[in-house]
Amino acid sequence: MASPLPPQRTGSRRRMPLVLSFATVSLLMTVGLGTVLGLQIDRAVRQRSVTDLKRTTASSVALAVRMMIVETPQFKPGSVQEELVQVRLINTAAEALVGSGGAVAVEATLPNGFVVGGANGPAVGTMIPVDPLLRSALSGKTSTLTIHRDGHAPDALGERLLRTQGGVLVLQRGVRMTPGGPIAGAVRVYALLAPSNREAASEIRTDLLVLAVGLLIFWLVLFRLVSGAARRIREQSQANEYLALHDSLTGLPNRVLLRQRTDEAIEDAALTGSTVTLILMDLDLFKDVNDILGYEYGDRLLQLIGPRLQAHLRDTDTVARLGGDEFAVLIPDLPDGESPLLVAGRLSAAMAQSFTVDGVLLDVSGAIGVSAAPADAESFNGLLRNADVAMHEAKQHGREITEYAPELNTGSATRLTMLGELRRGIDTPGELVLHYQPKADLPSGAIKSVEALVRWQHPERGLLPPGEFIPLAESTGLIRPLTMAVMRVALAQIAAWAQEGLFLRVAVNVSAKCLSDNTFPDQVLDLLRQAGVPVGALEIEITESAIMSDPERALGVLEALHAAGISLAIDDFGTGYSSMAYLKRLPINDIKIDRAFVTNMDQDASDAAIVRTSIQLAHSLGMSVVAEGVETGPVLAQLTELGCDHAQGYYLSKPLPAGELAEWVRRYDGTGRLLLLTS
Ligand code: C2E
Ligand code: CA
Ligand code: CA
């Protein structure tokens, strides 16, 4: 079956940039993070390299100075020897320092700035200014200065090194002749930053490379995770979208998708001037397949319908399932030489072919309603409503196909108004009126029971017979409140008659819909209690077709009613197709033979045969028999002769309002027809 999914495709296209934009944003963030970390690493490594240089320079200076102290012999303080030795030793220490700890130049001075030695520095015998660095060294501190390319050196040598070699570290330390003795001079050491800078740079390069690779892997993993999650979300949302637009059993488009496509088709048709056709189809015998063969067969059959219809349509047409056994076909534009009726005819012919499920041949005919835009309607709802009206028209008249025509609509309009009125009528006391028709025992003729038959006192149209509103109630769910309302009035009537000394049982007609409601028996028992009427005074009549439409389900409710002591009768017996098997199992007290077989039985041998057989059958199952539609004396006599248990019909009385019925019973009891009955 063609099930194109354009919405999903556009959906995935719409979502693609989401992953892309995530990739871009996360990449930018990763690069940003990398830059910050890189700068941080750069700063830290450079700082550490300067600190290292300071530390090694300082420690080599300290070592040299300490060695010198150890080697210094003791002289008389202030003696010439002492001064000479002092100068030489400072000088020696300074010379020893060159090359160690990265020192490139050393100058050794006396506290007054007189240069006494060194290497690569100012000449011996020259004076250098006593600058803060020297002063701080003379006070016993070791001072270092790091001068980078753009800084200012404290002296001429520093300045020269700075210009020729880049950054310079200057370290100055005082020199003591004896441990703890006075500071006799100072050494100033110059070390170049360049070598450690180079080392730092190479370390930084390695670190940055590791960082970059790490971040790249991090980003790739993140991207993979996110794009995987995005894909799963996308797939999930596609699945959800699919479910939202398709029927889960058949995979066909559902009402929502049908609406979308119909709306699009109507829009297109407005531009091109073409015709949009909506065909609605309801399977007639589907319920039987479900009931008789089971739901699996029903489901499998429903799955075959789509492909069967699609085979007679173009790919651009849509077959949708609207629910249950209702299907719709959308033809967005009719090809030349086609008409809605022609297409509908082809589909109907296709459906007329048997379906095979598990080797079982199934025939399901469908009623088809056809509506077209813009001729009949200009919206999806309009098209659907019209097709529905047409389909019901087809059903009602047993036709296969009906095309929508405005005249058909008037029926549904009055139906709608009437539905509203009936809903109100059920709730308005006095609008539902019961007439009662007596049932006579045979052969005695005694009246112990009456049947309640509802009429509707319509505010404008007068007293309506049940045929004018019961089918409407049946088809809309109003039948349940209606049945309960009738039951309430009937029970109140039983109580009222009992007050007058008239003890009559009343039979109430109950619809099939009530039998599928498990709470129905309890509702009835509640009403009985409220009315204060004994259970035995209520009889319930159910048509044969109502029971047989779903005997398994009806059985539970019937058994509950029977167990409670309520007498049950099968109405219109002979018109349905009772299965003997069920008849035997059902807790039924009476069967009421349909008047179609009774009224003319004295003139029609086959009617008489049916009545006779029915009586025998019922008796053999322990049930008693009521004959309906007894209109003449001879029929009554014949029934009595056949052993029929009860008779009901115009010959005795038409259904009468409660008051008249009571009158009738009183008169009847004495003389009149009773004599006729027994004659
Ligand atoms: P039903 O249950 O078979 O009721 C008997 C119908 O036959 C009544 O028609 C009655 O007036 C008519 N009838 C009785 N004796 C004779 C006769 O000798 N000759 C002829 N020709 N007809 C006779 P009514 O009152 O028009 O009711 C028609 C149907 O409406 C009932 O058929 C029943 O199926 C339904 N109905 C009536 N009241 C109710 C109700 O309260 N609830 C439900 N669910 N259905 C009801
Ligand atoms: Ca009845
Ligand atoms: Ca009947």
Side-chain angles (χ1 to χ4, degrees):
M1 104 200 55
S3 216
L5 309 170
Q8 281 119 50
R9 282 195 214 120
T10 55
S12 67
R13 218 180 293 137
R14 233 187 303 117
R15 276 186 196 85
M16 196 50 208
L18 203 74
V19 172
L20 271 186
S21 71
F22 168 79
T24 317
V25 168
S26 62
L27 188 64
L28 285 178
M29 282 174 65
T30 311
V31 168
L33 179 68
T35 310
V36 169
L37 286 177
L39 288 174
Q40 185 64 30
I41 287 173
D42 183 84
R43 211 168 60 94
V45 171
R46 279 178 203 287
Q47 221 165 44
R48 187 166 47 74
S49 83
V50 171
T51 317
D52 282 355
L53 181 64
K54 269 187 201 166
R55 198 179 317 116
T56 49
T57 310
S59 62
S60 54
V61 168
L63 189 69
V65 167
R66 198 166 315 122
M67 269 163 52
M68 186 180 73
I69 291 170
V70 171
E71 284 168 7
T72 307
Q74 292 296 310
F75 292 100
K76 202 165 149 259
S79 66
V80 176
Q81 291 101 316
E82 193 207 52
E83 267 181 26
L84 280 175
V85 169
Q86 176 187 350
V87 167
R88 197 175 54 82
L89 287 183
I90 297 172
N91 189 13
T92 313
E95 276 171 353
L97 270 170
V98 174
S100 73
V104 288
V106 182
E107 60 188 36
T109 52
L110 293 180
N112 59 1
F114 183 79
V115 178
V116 292
N120 304 335
V124 173
T126 53
M127 292 289 287
I128 62 160
V130 179
D131 55 15
L133 209 60
L134 177 55
R135 266 200 297 279
S136 141
L138 293 175
S139 74
K141 292 191 195 108
T142 303
S143 310
T144 46
L145 260 182
T146 315
I147 310 130
H148 294 281
R149 204 178 287 279
D150 45 357
H152 289 288
D155 55 20
L157 175 56
E159 201 61 46
R160 184 166 54 80
L161 290 172
L162 191 62
R163 258 183 280 108
T164 56
Q165 309 285 333
V168 182
L169 177 84
V170 183
L171 183 139
Q172 181 118 36
R173 187 188 163 110
V175 181
R176 295 173 206 271
M177 297 304 292
T178 54
I183 291 175
V187 282
R188 185 175 282 200
V189 173
Y190 297 85
L192 294 182
L193 293 182
S196 42
N197 272 355
R198 268 195 300 281
E199 236 169 72
S202 113
E203 188 185 333
I204 288 168
R205 265 198 304 281
T206 319
D207 286 358
L208 288 184
L209 192 69
V210 170
L211 177 71
V213 170
L215 284 177
L216 183 69
I217 292 173
F218 164 78
W219 178 77
L220 284 175
V221 169
L222 192 70
F223 180 72
R224 246 194 84 99
L225 282 177
V226 169
S227 65
R231 198 189 60 240
R232 274 194 298 282
I233 291 171
R234 195 164 59 239
E235 282 166 3
Q236 187 60 48
S237 79
Q238 274 174 8
N240 290 346
E241 203 167 312
Y242 184 85
L243 285 180
L245 295 176
H246 292 80
D247 166 51
S248 57
L249 176 66
T250 60
L252 292 173
N254 64 12
R255 185 183 296 259
V256 180
L257 187 51
L258 180 70
R259 177 190 297 274
Q260 277 178 15
R261 293 193 182 166
T262 308
D263 287 345
E264 281 166 23
I266 291 175
E267 250 172 59
D268 290 352
L271 300 175
T272 59
S274 58
T275 295
V276 179
T277 309
L278 191 70
I279 296 175
L280 204 61
M281 178 185 296
D282 191 272
L283 307 185
D284 282 339
L285 301 173
F286 177 69
K287 198 179 157 350
D288 292 348
V289 173
N290 258 347
D291 289 349
I292 298 167
L293 295 173
Y295 289 107
E296 306 86 82
Y297 277 86
D299 286 354
R300 303 264 294 281
L301 174 64
L302 289 176
Q303 288 165 340
L304 294 177
I305 308 275
R308 169 77 61 92
L309 294 176
Q310 196 76 54
H312 297 266
L313 296 164
R314 297 168 303 165
D315 281 350
T316 47
D317 301 335
T318 297
V319 180
R321 180 175 176 225
L322 301 184
D325 54 358
E326 204 170 74
F327 291 82
V329 173
L330 167 72
I331 297 153
D333 60 301
L334 273 177
D336 285 342
E338 284 274 36
S339 77
L341 268 189
L342 276 176
V343 181
R346 270 207 307 280
L347 296 180
S348 176
M351 292 297 292
Q353 310 280 316
S354 303
F355 289 87
T356 315
V357 175
D358 256 0
V360 180
L361 279 186
L362 301 175
D363 287 298
V364 282
S365 60
I368 290 182
V370 182
S371 174
D376 303 333
E378 286 179 9
S379 68
F380 173 71
N381 284 344
L383 273 181
L384 194 64
R385 196 183 330 108
N386 290 346
D388 192 59
V389 167
M391 186 183 78
H392 277 105
E393 182 75 10
K395 274 203 165 165
Q396 222 159 41
H397 296 91
R399 282 200 294 266
E400 280 168 8
I401 303 168
T402 298
E403 217 173 352
Y404 173 77
E407 306 86 78
L408 301 179
N409 236 340
T410 56
S412 65
T414 49
R415 231 175 88 95
L416 264 177
T417 350
M418 206 160 124
L419 201 61
E421 291 171 346
L422 182 58
R423 194 170 285 130
R424 269 197 314 280
I426 291 171
D427 294 335
T428 314
E431 273 205 33
L432 289 187
V433 177
L434 294 191
H435 284 188
Y436 300 88
Q437 187 176 36
K439 277 190 269 184
D441 287 359
L442 294 181
S444 73
I447 305 292
K448 295 178 189 149
S449 170
V450 295
E451 177 178 2
L453 294 155
V454 71
R455 280 95 182 87
W456 178 17
Q457 188 64 57
H458 190 279
E460 286 136 37
R461 296 163 62 197
L463 197 64
L464 299 179
E468 292 211 18
F469 59 92
I470 292 285
L472 181 67
E474 286 270 10
S475 66
T476 56
L478 269 187
I479 192 66
R480 291 190 197 185
L482 184 142
T483 304
M484 297 327 276
V486 167
M487 188 92 62
R488 205 172 283 122
V489 176
L491 293 175
Q493 191 59 59
I494 296 175
W497 278 330
Q499 290 274 311
E500 301 170 18
L502 186 59
F503 298 97
L504 287 174
R505 304 201 297 172
V506 174
V508 171
N509 292 283
V510 165
S511 138
K513 297 268 169 20
C514 300
L515 297 187
S516 53
D517 176 2
N518 287 327
T519 66
F520 179 69
D522 283 339
Q523 292 178 33
V524 172
L525 291 175
D526 274 351
L527 288 183
L528 279 162
R529 263 192 296 278
Q530 283 164 26
V533 168
V535 177
L538 178 66
E539 293 172 8
I540 281 180
E541 293 186 10
I542 307 137
T543 61
E544 186 182 19
S545 52
I547 296 178
M548 291 306 155
S549 72
D550 193 349
E552 287 297 343
R553 177 138 2 128
L555 197 58
V557 170
L558 293 180
E559 266 165 356
L561 292 168
H562 179 76
I566 296 167
S567 169
L568 303 174
I570 296 188
D571 207 351
D572 300 349
F573 186 81
T575 58
Y577 302 91
S578 287
S579 133
M580 288 298 293
Y582 279 119
L583 213 52
K584 219 175 78 186
R585 280 172 58 196
L586 293 173
I588 297 295
N589 305 77
D590 306 274
I591 65 168
K592 297 186 76 175
I593 303 175
D594 194 74
R595 67 165 185 267
F597 308 107
V598 175
T599 308
N600 297 314
M601 64 181 279
D602 56 333
Q603 279 143 47
D604 188 319
S606 58
D607 280 356
I610 289 172
V611 172
R612 188 188 310 113
T613 322
S614 300
I615 292 172
Q616 282 164 1
L617 170 70
H619 284 170
S620 71
L621 291 173
M623 303 170 180
S624 54
V625 181
V626 185
E628 301 183 319
V630 181
E631 295 185 359
T632 62
V635 167
L636 186 66
Q638 203 179 346
L639 286 167
T640 314
E641 203 173 296
L642 289 175
C644 185
D645 306 280
H646 313 275
Q648 182 183 356
Y650 292 169
Y651 182 65
L652 288 149
S653 168
K654 292 197 166 188
L656 298 171
E660 287 177 39
L661 189 273
E663 272 301 299
W664 181 89
V665 173
R666 280 191 197 101
R667 270 190 284 120
Y668 167 88
D669 254 357
T671 51
R673 290 248 168 72
L674 185 60
L675 296 174
L676 284 171
L677 283 171
T678 46
S679 67

